[in-house]
Structures are given as C-alpha cells and as structure tokens.
Amino acid sequence: MTLEDHIGDIVRKARTAANISPDSAAEAAGLSRTQLAELEENGKTSKEPNFKALAPLIGLNPAKLERIAHGWLPKQVELSNWRELRQITTTARLSVNCYLVWDEVTREAALFDTGWEARPTLEIIDEHQLQLKHLFITHAHEDHIAALAKFREHFPKVKLHSGSKNAPPDQRNRANDFIHLGSLRITNRETPGHAEDGVTYIIGNFPEDLPGVAVVGDCVFAGSIGRGFVSTDLLKQKIREQIFTLPPETLICPGHGPLTTVGQEKENNPFFT
C-alpha cells in the first residue's frame, strides 16, 4: 500500500496554498532550495527536514506531518466485509478509483464515477447479474468521467447525478435527496474546493449494521487532501463540516489511493489540527 500523496506532495500543496515562497519554506525546514525542490518532487531528501518549524509556516500539523514522513499508512480495510461494494481502479496517465455498490436482493446497482475505462466494471456487473440504475459523479474532472459515454451506451436509462450547475435539471443533486437502492440509502453533501461541482455521496443502511461509506472523489486522500483548484480553505472547511462530522468508523472511498476512515483522517491528516 502506498499513499496517493508522498510527503513532498503534501508539503508542496500546503506551501502553495499558504502562498509561502520556496526560499522561506526551505529556510524553515533547514534545507537548501535544491533540497526542498527534491523533497517536493519525489518525497526524498538527503537531509531530514525540520518539520516542527516548517509545518506551522505552511498550515500543517507538525506531529501528523512527521508521522507521515516516517511511514504512516491507514490501517488495512477489509473491503470484503461490504459484500456488495467494489473498488475498481483503472490507469491511464494516473490511477483513479471508482466504486460499484448494489443491493443483494434486488440486484440494483449504482456506480460512483467511471474511471478511465468501463470494461472492468462491466465485467463485475455481468458477473453478478446487476441492473445499473444510477451513476453518481463526484466531480467532472476527466479521469473521473472518462468512461461516461460507454456506460450510457450500455445503460441508456441509467439515472445521472452530479453537482454541476451546468447539468440538466433532472441530473442535478438536490439537498436532502434520498436515493434508495433496494435497502441501501444514498445521500449527497456538497464538498467544493478541489472542484466547483465537488460532491461527497454517503451510502448507508448496509446489512449487518456495517459502517456507512463516503465516496469523496478528490476531497480527501489518506493522509492528504485534493489540490484546491477552487480554494484550499473552502475545501478544508467542507471536509470538516461534511465529512469529519460523520461517525469515525465511516469508510472513506477516495478517488485516488487507499481506503481510509473518518477516524483515521481526523487523527492523522496533517491538513487538520
């Protein structure tokens, strides 16, 4: 298991969001400008950075940042406990996750994002004889919707859901919507910041009282957050309000990298104090 963002990615994201120059960050970290550039590029440097001085300057929690620098990983999640939930990872320029969930009785299914290609997901749908009823989009960046046309071709009646203001009215999420998928219940929470149309979808009511699932797109990664193309401050605010208020055992299903939980991110994600 490897994190989506290495320690240098985290430092660079935080530094640029805080508008701190490389020279100032390097000085705080006790590094040369070249050493800081190496750290941000590949997560490695010949000298141990002074994270206790660097972290507050760029808006990170020092202890959590050091924890990640020294190898923190989220505890392995046994996804098979959620028998009707699959993580599907496809790769082109980068790897991206999408998620398929279904009701074990009705065989009605929902897909969250599409990934780069449809084939792996279509194989699961065929294997389990599922009916794809809903397709939920966390945000409209290319890697998350690249296979959208293929799914619509295979399932012309699939119901699309997104947070885009440009989507047709019948495809836009509405506050307090409850979408039922057999016994499962799906709700949405707006989480812009990485993207203007960012949405987190909460899946609940799993059999055997399993924890709920939050499909977060690129809002939160294990130990990091998405790049704040709209606003990093807004993204962090929405994560606090809409994701970190969920029960700690809630499974976080990110668009990139490994699975994690709300509790682990509140305890270990350096972007949050």
Side-chain angles (χ1 to χ4, degrees), residues 16 31 97 105 128 142 158 167 177 190 213 242 257:
T16 55
L31 303 176
N97 304 323
V105 176
H128 293 277
E142 181 189 11
V158 69
D177 264 358
E190 291 187 352
V213 169
Q242 305 293 354

Side-chain angles (χ1 to χ4, degrees), residues 99 112-113 135-141 144 161-165 167 171-177 186-202 213-220 235 238-239 242-243 253-255:
Y99 298 89
F112 297 82
D113 290 344
L135 204 167
F136 295 90
I137 303 300
T138 64
H139 63 297
H141 289 172
H144 293 263
H161 306 264
S162 87
S164 173
K165 296 179 176 61
Q171 296 178 14
R172 296 177 201 162
N173 293 318
R174 294 180 299 180
N176 304 315
D177 264 358
I186 301 167
T187 57
N188 69 84
R189 299 184 174 197
E190 291 187 352
T191 46
H194 172 71
E196 185 177 357
D197 60 340
V199 181
T200 290
Y201 296 100
I202 314 299
V213 169
V215 183
V216 301
D218 289 355
C219 288
V220 181
L235 177 60
K238 292 298 183 179
I239 292 168
Q242 305 293 354
I243 298 175
C253 294

Side-chain angles (χ1 to χ4, degrees), residues 2-30:
T2 57
L3 298 178
E4 170 63 17
D5 285 351
H6 58 60
I7 188 68
D9 292 326
I10 294 169
V11 168
R12 184 180 65 253
K13 280 183 180 178
R15 179 182 63 75
T16 55
N19 198 28
I20 300 299
S21 71
D23 287 336
S24 296
E27 182 179 0

Side-chain angles (χ1 to χ4, degrees), residues 10-11 14 54-62 65 236 270-273:
I10 294 169
V11 168
L54 174 63
L57 178 67
I58 58 177
L60 297 177
N61 179 287
L65 186 62
K236 290 167 67 175
F271 284 91
F272 302 93
T273 56

Side-chain angles (χ1 to χ4, degrees), residues 24-99:
S24 296
E27 182 179 0
L31 303 176
S32 68
R33 174 75 178 268
T34 299
Q35 288 170 327
L36 177 70
E38 291 173 352
L39 176 69
E40 292 188 349
E41 178 64 27
N42 57 37
K44 299 177 182 178
T45 183
S46 56
K47 181 180 179 183
E48 175 78 6
N50 182 348
F51 290 117
K52 289 182 179 177
L54 174 63
L57 178 67
I58 58 177
L60 297 177
N61 179 287
K64 295 177 182 180
L65 186 62
E66 284 197 90
R67 206 172 299 153
I68 290 179
H70 296 150
W72 175 85
L73 293 171
K75 293 178 182 176
Q76 190 84 31
V77 173
E78 190 55 62
L79 192 60
S80 62
N81 289 335
W82 290 263
R83 294 192 302 271
E84 289 75 39
L85 175 66
R86 298 289 186 276
Q87 180 190 59
I88 302 115
T89 304
T90 53
T91 303
R93 295 189 296 277
L94 72 166
S95 294
V96 61
N97 304 323
C98 65
Y99 298 89

Side-chain angles (χ1 to χ4, degrees), residues 147-211:
L148 179 58
K150 183 65 69 175
F151 282 107
R152 298 189 79 177
E153 176 186 324
H154 275 77
F155 305 98
K157 294 183 179 180
V158 69
K159 171 72 172 174
L160 294 185
H161 306 264
S162 87
S164 173
K165 296 179 176 61
N166 298 319
D170 65 336
Q171 296 178 14
R172 296 177 201 162
N173 293 318
R174 294 180 299 180
N176 304 315
D177 264 358
F178 290 90
I179 307 297
H180 291 278
L181 192 72
S183 63
L184 299 176
R185 188 176 73 171
I186 301 167
T187 57
N188 69 84
R189 299 184 174 197
E190 291 187 352
T191 46
H194 172 71
E196 185 177 357
D197 60 340
V199 181
T200 290
Y201 296 100
I202 314 299
I203 313 167
N205 233 22
F206 282 97
E208 301 173 10
D209 293 325
L210 284 166

